[in-house]
Amino acid sequence: MTSVRGASARLAGEEPKLPESLWARISLPPVAAPSLAGEIRVDVVVIGGGFAGCAAALALAEAGQRVAILEAAEPGWGASGRNNGQVIPGLKFDPDELVRRFGAERGGRLAAWAGALPDRVFALVARHAIDCDPVRSGWIQPAYTRRSLATIESRCAQWAAREAPVRMLAAEEVEPMLGTPRFVGAWIDRRGGTINPLSYARGLAAAAQRAGVALHARTPALSMARDGGGWVVQTPAGSVRAGRVFVATAAYADDLVPGLRRSTVPVRTAQVATAPLSEVALRTILPGRQGASDTRRLLTSFRISPDLRLMMGGAWATGGLDDRHLLAHLHRAGADLFGHLGPLRWEFGWSGFFPVTDDHLPHVHESADGITCALGCNGRGIALSTALGEMVAARLLGRAADALEIPPTPMPAVAFHEFRRAGIAAVTLAKSLQDRLDRALTK
């Protein structure tokens, strides 16, 4: 990779200010992180202050490396601080499919690593005493149709065969555990849980600072250039000289690293939150306080927030900035699932981008001259981003490429990337129609 000028200050067209969200209201305060002024020298510079960037910086600093983080807005500003807060094990593909794609050894190792992803999050939360409302009572995936019930039965069986703490819920358990009659079955994975994602992001950033990381907010990386055996990263009022660079900008990637922006499709989804729920609703909706994400192609996720509101995410997607129709779809989804409990009063609605790869798998890319990129969580960002950051740190500390669960690969370009907005709109509409047809034919 040969780097050129980027446009990190652009932040995909958004303002470098957190959106009005429930998380912005109830989270830990932002970490104190001054903009960079002047020149600093470090071993590794991390560009991007989300889960992956902060987890990598923390691990590197604890191993004795001098590290700086350059964040264009503030830690947790992007997808890390905008999601539903569900900590989910696994990848988009089931264990047997990973074995089929990558062989018994690598596929089995990847499945085992992916299944243990939540352990990394909750271990970091405990070790660094991060006040992010962690609840590890499991993750539930309910089936929307009879056809999808067969899918989750197979998924649950595959994880059970690998001794994961999972089980199918009995038919009579589904409605009492979820609080809605709309699903035909479900399985529970006890490895999962929920957190406040913005507090977790800020807590990781603070832990990295305590470990010695130089964290600079409101400091976009404008360009990179080779300088002897390392790199010089220019910012508006300073520069960083580093031997190696980790670019962890995910869906907000720009042209700082040629090809990175075109290697994923940034998809925008939304989250909504109600007013605090009544005692009846709190006893009815997820009384065990699990997180839940259903099986629809346009899946809907839901949970109870730390301050006792119903939070819902997903249901629709776009490639642009306008999220009004995304919020409307979520409001309708909420009424569909929980309208039997009475009207829902929505108080918050916000949105953000997450990166989708062509193969729906995460990727690590690296150059021979010291640049590493990792991205592609495809909607499972909390646990997977954390683990990717720690994996990159291990690689930069000398772990062999073939020992990584996700070995580095060439950086592919998504076909017809320039038409991504129209493509997202078409795919979203098609998936919605498929979900409706499946429901009509197989409910």
Side-chain angles (χ1 to χ4, degrees):
M1 303 175 198
T2 301
S3 291
V4 293
R5 290 194 173 273
S8 295
R10 180 172 51 85
L11 295 170
E14 297 186 40
E15 293 296 321
K17 179 178 180 295
L18 278 172
E20 298 286 338
S21 73
L22 173 62
W23 299 135
R25 173 78 63 87
I26 69 172
S27 294
L28 293 174
V31 295
S35 300
L36 177 63
E39 180 180 284
I40 60 174
R41 293 176 179 267
V42 295
D43 299 310
V44 181
V45 59
V46 177
I47 299 174
F51 299 142
C54 288
L58 174 59
L60 289 164
E62 289 179 332
Q65 296 286 294
R66 297 174 302 158
V67 186
I69 296 175
L70 303 181
E71 164 57 47
E74 64 173 274
W77 173 89
S80 293
R82 306 190 193 198
N83 61 81
N84 197 255
Q86 298 193 30
V87 186
I88 302 174
L91 304 176
K92 287 291 187 181
F93 296 107
D94 295 333
D96 287 358
E97 176 64 15
L98 294 175
V99 169
R100 188 189 70 78
R101 286 176 176 237
F102 301 111
E105 193 281 326
R106 184 188 163 196
R109 187 157 55 97
L110 179 57
W113 175 80
L117 293 176
D119 292 344
R120 295 174 175 272
V121 173
F122 290 107
L124 283 170
V125 168
R127 180 154 60 91
H128 297 284
I130 299 174
D131 183 10
C132 61
D133 301 291
V135 177
R136 200 171 188 183
S137 55
W139 171 68
I140 299 175
Q141 187 176 39
Y144 193 61
T145 67
R146 294 292 173 190
R147 181 178 297 168
S148 58
L149 179 59
T151 298
I152 64 170
E153 287 173 341
S154 172
R155 181 168 298 142
C156 184
Q158 290 177 46
W159 283 118
R162 290 164 171 81
E163 301 183 344
V166 302
R167 70 177 180 90
M168 289 298 298
L169 299 182
E172 63 271 16
E173 293 181 282
V174 175
E175 184 173 348
M177 288 188 73
L178 294 168
T180 174
R182 296 294 286 169
F183 298 110
V184 300
W187 71 295
I188 184 168
D189 190 330
R190 292 290 180 185
R191 297 171 295 183
T194 61
I195 60 172
N196 173 330
L198 182 56
S199 284
Y200 174 57
R202 289 173 170 174
L204 273 182
Q209 284 183 316
R210 291 193 296 271
V213 173
L215 173 59
H216 296 284
R218 297 167 298 282
T219 304
L222 301 179
S223 67
M224 292 194 299
R226 290 288 289 163
D227 179 51
W231 290 90
V232 177
V233 181
Q234 295 290 342
T235 71
S239 63
V240 181
R241 292 183 178 271
R244 290 159 296 176
V245 181
F246 174 33
V247 179
T249 47
Y252 293 88
D254 56 23
D255 295 317
L256 189 68
V257 176
L260 183 61
R261 181 176 60 84
R262 297 176 63 88
S263 69
T264 68
V265 174
V267 175
R268 193 173 195 87
T269 59
Q271 307 288 328
V272 294
T274 66
L277 296 175
S278 68
E279 288 296 327
V280 171
L282 288 171
R283 288 196 303 268
T284 305
I285 303 172
L286 293 168
R289 297 299 179 260
Q290 298 88 2
S293 310
D294 67 27
T295 56
R296 281 178 274 196
R297 293 173 180 84
L298 293 178
L299 69 81
T300 299
S301 59
F302 54 99
R303 60 167 293 191
I304 301 298
S305 71
D307 61 342
L308 305 180
R309 305 166 187 265
L310 172 64
M311 283 189 62
M312 298 190 64
W316 205 259
T318 183
L321 295 175
D322 188 353
D323 62 10
R324 288 171 296 180
H325 63 298
L326 304 182
L327 305 182
H329 278 285
L330 277 170
H331 294 166
R332 286 193 289 271
D336 177 59
L337 292 179
F338 303 111
H340 61 290
L341 299 174
L344 296 170
R345 184 160 59 90
W346 302 103
E347 287 193 350
F348 294 93
W350 67 97
S351 63
F353 289 112
F354 69 92
V356 174
T357 54
D358 253 357
D359 59 5
H360 298 284
L361 287 168
H363 291 275
V364 174
H365 310 297
E366 63 181 23
S367 68
D369 50 10
I371 299 176
T372 302
C373 307
L375 73 176
C377 292
N378 296 281
R380 296 199 171 198
I382 297 177
L384 187 49
S385 288
T386 300
L388 281 175
E390 293 183 331
M391 177 185 292
V392 168
R395 174 64 174 150
L396 295 177
L397 290 169
R399 190 177 180 190
D402 59 6
L404 300 178
E405 289 80 9
I406 303 176
T409 55
M411 188 183 297
V414 173
F416 306 109
H417 191 272
E418 62 271 28
F419 303 111
R420 62 192 180 280
R421 293 193 181 186
I424 292 170
V427 169
T428 299
L429 179 59
K431 287 184 175 183
S432 174
L433 294 174
Q434 287 176 297
D435 284 335
R436 294 180 190 178
L437 183 61
D438 278 356
R439 180 74 175 181
L441 296 178
T442 68
K443 67 178 180 179

